Amino acid sequence: MNNNDLANLIFPNVKDSNYYEELYPERSLKEGAMVTRFAPSPTGFVHMGSLYTSFSNLMLAKQSGGVVFLRIEDTDQKREVENGIEGIIRDFNNLKISFDEDPIKGGKYGPYIQSERREIYQSFAKKLIIEGKAYPCFATEEELKNLREMQELNKERIGYYGSWAKYRNLSIEEAITKIKNNEPYIIRLKSPGDFNNKIILDDCIKGKIEMPENDMDIVIIKSDGLPTYHFAHAVDDHLMRTTHVIRGDEWVSSYPIHKQLFEVLGFKEPRYAHLAPLTIKEGTTVRKLSKRKDKESAISFYHQLGIPDEVIKLYIATINNSSFEEWYIANSDKTIDDYHFTFDKMPIGGSLFDLEKLMSISKVYFSKLKASDIYNRTLEYAKEYDNEFYNLIVNDPLYLTNLLNIERNIERPRMDIGSYSDVKKEFWYMFDELFAKEDNPYQDITYPYDISFIKDYFVNIYNEQDTEEEWFNKVKDYASSKGFAVNRKEYKENPDNFLGNIADFCSIIRVMLTTSNTSPNMYDLLKIYGKERLLKRLDKFLNDVNKG
Ligand code: GLU
């Protein structure tokens, strides 16, 4: 009896591992091209953390002329989520993110779902058994529990290793007898490592990290015949010819296992890049952004707010590479795809997730869009999230487009819109139906003089055909005739001689129409709103203000 007999008994029907080596040859790509992958478990949705990881993989592969693929890691069947794979693929589609190879598109290195690669893992596990580098372990729950207790008692490192690994030296005959007796087992690596040796992870982002060599006989194939994450990672990333494993840094501590697996399997090790996690402030502490707990983690949160996917990507790019933001400001005509992402600009420690920053990026983004684009996208957004607004804007595209055009195509455009929902917040007062819903729109505004003269201005002076210059000249003349200073200096010198200055006069008009003292350009607003409607709005204003 030898290792072959044992291996054949355990895996009677699997192909020789060379078959797979030939089936999945080296990819022929140009020098320096990276092959990367995003490898989520089938959680059913893409969250900010997974977007961050996939984005890094995507950008580096694409800009190097390489390949990026999506691999679903579903070997932990206890954690299966219904429609978990479809959900992830749907979210990526919605985000307009596509991989060169994925479970739907396929590709030459598939299947891209781990549970469909069962035989492949078994083939390599069989190879290791034949070579005496892996073995069946029959330890029961009870035995493992006792082992742990003994180790705790003796203050030894916890785990299945060295002389604690009871089944590593079982004779082949004994193992075969147990298998034939249907005793349950798993397959473990017979680790050749020594904990006192040091190994080095040369991480593309974090630099060199020294760690003890692995000496644990880790599980490679579980009792359900599926591999563990570690084993699947080594086999898949070898056969799928990954050059760079870019993943979350919670995996750094597993590197000694991975290095060893690549060695015993005779594979060339890929480069590793461990991404710092996204973090969030909670009170005074900083913790990892949680995909379950934090609303900021869900992409749907941004969709509901009306933040475009492009902005989410811009934000991800900003935290991913420290030079991105500066570059993007300096190259406002370029897109993310034009930026060259490099490992050395990626953060080593956590990246603080900052919603305010995201919003400010969004405002810059919106300031560069065409008004008609914002209109169309706002319409689409409102259709899904705000029926009332949708009905108000759907039949008159020009009205809102004109509003959005105010102070837009200028050197320093307005920066007040950061989301589709902001459009309504910014211009609600231009819609009479929304205005009518407000109980007391002009909050806390009182005037130290009678403002009824403003009616005379609108009835007799205001002319919507005037140019902006004519309009303002008339405002000045009229304000002056009513006792307002039109010259700042004069007003400053003798404030008591005047009711107020020209800005105070304008603010009456502004508040009347918008309820607030800050607004986009008044001339444009008045013209778009129209004289007839203004007169009605004016009556309400005078009535409300006099009441107050
Ligand atoms: N399935 C693993 C995870 O979701 C993948 C880690 C990796 O990229 O290798 O964390």
Side-chain angles (χ1 to χ4, degrees):
M1 295 268 183
N2 58 26
N3 287 336
N4 270 309
D5 299 312
L6 179 60
N8 282 330
L9 180 63
I10 296 177
F11 298 118
N13 296 319
V14 299
K15 294 192 177 70
D16 187 87
S17 61
N18 282 323
Y19 167 83
Y20 295 108
E21 293 287 359
E22 276 162 36
L23 187 62
Y24 305 115
E26 286 285 346
R27 294 170 185 264
S28 52
L29 294 170
K30 70 174 195 295
E31 180 78 25
M34 293 185 193
V35 179
T36 66
R37 81 302 188 267
F38 177 56
S41 48
T43 49
F45 66 102
V46 173
H47 53 89
M48 221 46 180
S50 48
L51 183 61
Y52 183 61
T53 308
S54 52
F55 179 86
S56 313
N57 277 287
L58 268 142
M59 294 321 286
L60 285 159
K62 288 205 166 145
Q63 67 185 20
S64 68
V67 171
V68 57
F69 61 86
L70 174 67
R71 179 175 71 225
I72 300 290
E73 306 214 323
D74 61 343
T75 59
D76 188 354
Q77 306 228 304
K78 279 188 264 93
R79 288 173 49 199
E80 268 316 71
V81 178
E82 210 184 324
N83 300 326
I85 301 177
E86 291 77 2
I88 290 186
I89 291 177
R90 180 204 55 221
D91 283 2
F92 275 126
N93 278 343
N94 289 343
L95 286 160
K96 299 197 180 54
I97 286 181
S98 70
F99 297 87
D100 299 309
E101 298 159 16
D102 71 25
I104 306 271
K105 269 191 205 155
K108 288 202 181 119
Y109 293 80
Y112 295 88
I113 298 180
Q114 284 186 329
S115 58
E116 293 172 12
R117 300 171 64 82
R118 178 187 295 257
E119 266 205 34
I120 306 180
Y121 308 117
Q122 295 188 349
S123 158
F124 284 87
K126 182 171 183 178
K127 174 179 186 278
L128 292 184
I129 296 174
I130 293 170
E131 292 169 0
K133 294 173 181 168
Y135 63 94
C137 171
F138 301 88
T140 59
E141 291 281 331
E142 185 68 20
E143 278 178 292
L144 292 174
K145 187 168 155 262
N146 290 341
L147 170 69
R148 170 180 264 277
E149 280 169 8
M150 285 285 282
Q151 288 171 334
E152 272 167 7
L153 205 69
N154 293 310
K155 302 211 164 18
E156 297 278 357
R157 273 186 305 125
I158 308 291
Y160 204 85
Y161 61 96
S163 55
W164 298 99
K166 179 171 163 198
Y167 292 95
R168 87 181 330 225
N169 295 318
L170 204 66
S171 71
I172 291 172
E173 286 72 17
E174 278 173 298
I176 289 179
T177 310
K178 280 180 176 292
I179 292 172
K180 287 192 171 155
N181 285 339
N182 289 330
E183 285 190 35
Y185 62 93
I186 52 173
I187 309 293
R188 284 185 188 272
L189 171 74
K190 192 181 275 184
S191 172
D194 177 344
F195 186 73
N196 296 314
N197 289 344
K198 296 279 178 246
I199 58 143
I200 288 184
L201 162 62
D202 188 5
D203 192 274
C204 297
I205 299 172
K206 295 181 190 282
K208 292 198 163 65
I209 304 174
E210 197 181 74
M211 282 178 273
E213 191 175 34
N214 176 59
D215 66 345
M216 297 282 162
D217 284 2
I218 53 122
V219 180
I220 58 173
I221 302 282
K222 299 176 292 178
S223 55
D224 59 6
L226 281 170
T228 52
Y229 164 73
H230 305 303
F231 194 59
H233 155 51
V235 171
D236 286 347
D237 283 316
H238 168 67
L239 292 179
M240 295 172 143
R241 310 295 170 182
T242 305
T243 62
H244 289 74
V245 172
I246 306 171
R247 62 184 180 185
D249 69 1
E250 69 273 21
W251 293 109
V252 165
S253 59
S254 302
Y255 172 71
I257 295 175
H258 301 160
K259 181 180 173 58
Q260 191 166 70
L261 282 171
F262 276 86
E263 270 163 21
V264 298
L265 285 160
F267 299 159
K268 177 170 181 271
E269 191 184 314
R271 292 298 313 268
Y272 286 90
H274 288 97
L275 296 166
L278 299 180
T279 56
I280 193 161
K281 254 202 184 131
E282 190 173 55
T284 51
T285 55
V286 172
R287 60 164 174 79
K288 256 174 117 162
L289 189 69
S290 152
K291 64 173 175 243
R292 272 173 283 275
K293 271 201 334 218
D294 298 315
K295 62 180 188 323
E296 295 88 344
S297 183
I299 306 291
S300 56
F301 169 72
Y302 303 94
H303 288 169
Q304 273 159 25
L305 276 178
I307 293 177
D309 290 336
E310 294 90 325
V311 170
I312 303 179
K313 290 182 207 166
L314 281 173
Y315 181 62
I316 293 271
T318 305
I319 44 183
N320 180 285
N321 252 243
S322 56
S323 309
F324 178 79
E325 188 175 13
E326 205 181 311
W327 174 87
Y328 192 60
I329 293 170
N331 295 277
S332 57
D333 53 328
K334 300 248 163 68
T335 71
I336 294 178
D337 290 330
D338 300 313
Y339 178 77
H340 189 72
F341 287 84
T342 52
F343 287 123
D344 62 341
K345 295 277 166 36
M346 295 188 190
I348 294 175
S351 309
L352 199 59
F353 193 81
D354 180 350
L355 205 51
E356 257 176 52
K357 176 84 190 172
L358 187 146
M359 285 314 292
S360 73
I361 291 175
S362 200
K363 286 182 176 167
V364 176
Y365 175 83
F366 270 90
S367 75
K368 294 181 190 168
L369 291 181
K370 283 208 328 234
S372 55
D373 262 359
I374 304 183
Y375 170 80
N376 287 331
R377 296 177 186 205
T378 303
L379 187 68
E380 212 175 291
Y381 166 82
K383 193 171 182 183
E384 187 164 351
Y385 296 103
D386 188 346
N387 226 275
E388 176 188 51
F389 198 51
Y390 177 81
N391 289 327
L392 289 175
I393 64 175
V394 64
N395 293 321
D396 191 359
L398 206 60
Y399 185 66
L400 182 55
T401 308
N402 284 338
L403 291 173
L404 289 162
N405 245 332
I406 301 177
E407 293 166 85
R408 173 155 302 273
N409 303 307
I410 53 177
E411 203 184 325
R412 299 184 61 197
R414 289 187 70 81
M415 295 272 184
D416 36 20
I417 293 174
S419 67
Y420 305 126
S421 56
D422 278 355
V423 172
K424 182 184 184 183
K425 282 190 206 125
E426 190 56 27
F427 291 115
W428 66 275
Y429 51 81
M430 295 296 277
F431 296 87
D432 295 329
E433 293 81 347
L434 299 178
F435 200 89
K437 280 172 48 180
E438 296 294 315
D439 256 2
N440 176 19
Y442 324 95
Q443 283 169 15
D444 302 330
I445 292 185
T446 51
Y447 293 95
Y449 38 79
D450 182 3
I451 57 166
S452 335
F453 57 78
I454 204 76
K455 181 152 187 172
D456 174 43
Y457 165 77
F458 275 107
V459 174
N460 297 314
I461 315 281
Y462 178 71
N463 178 352
E464 51 189 346
Q465 307 309 327
D466 285 345
T467 63
E468 185 158 6
E469 200 186 341
E470 286 163 352
W471 170 77
F472 194 53
N473 284 335
K474 284 188 188 172
V475 167
K476 279 198 286 198
D477 289 347
Y478 185 81
S480 165
S481 77
K482 292 296 161 194
F484 289 86
V486 289
N487 177 316
R488 261 237 231 123
K489 202 167 148 236
E490 262 177 48
Y491 180 65
K492 260 196 158 170
E493 278 164 12
N494 286 306
D496 294 342
N497 291 354
F498 301 96
L499 273 189
N501 68 10
I502 184 78
D504 295 321
F505 180 86
C506 288
S507 107
I508 301 172
I509 303 180
R510 202 181 293 279
V511 171
M512 176 207 86
L513 182 59
T514 74
T515 75
S516 141
N517 215 346
T518 50
S519 78
N521 182 300
M522 216 41 236
Y523 168 78
D524 291 322
L525 284 181
L526 294 174
K527 202 171 157 85
I528 295 169
Y529 191 67
K531 180 157 178 172
E532 227 183 289
R533 292 169 73 198
L534 277 169
L535 294 174
K536 284 191 209 135
R537 179 72 63 93
L538 181 67
D539 285 338
K540 176 172 168 48
F541 172 65
L542 290 174
N543 197 20
D544 285 354
V545 170
N546 289 335
K547 258 194 293 181

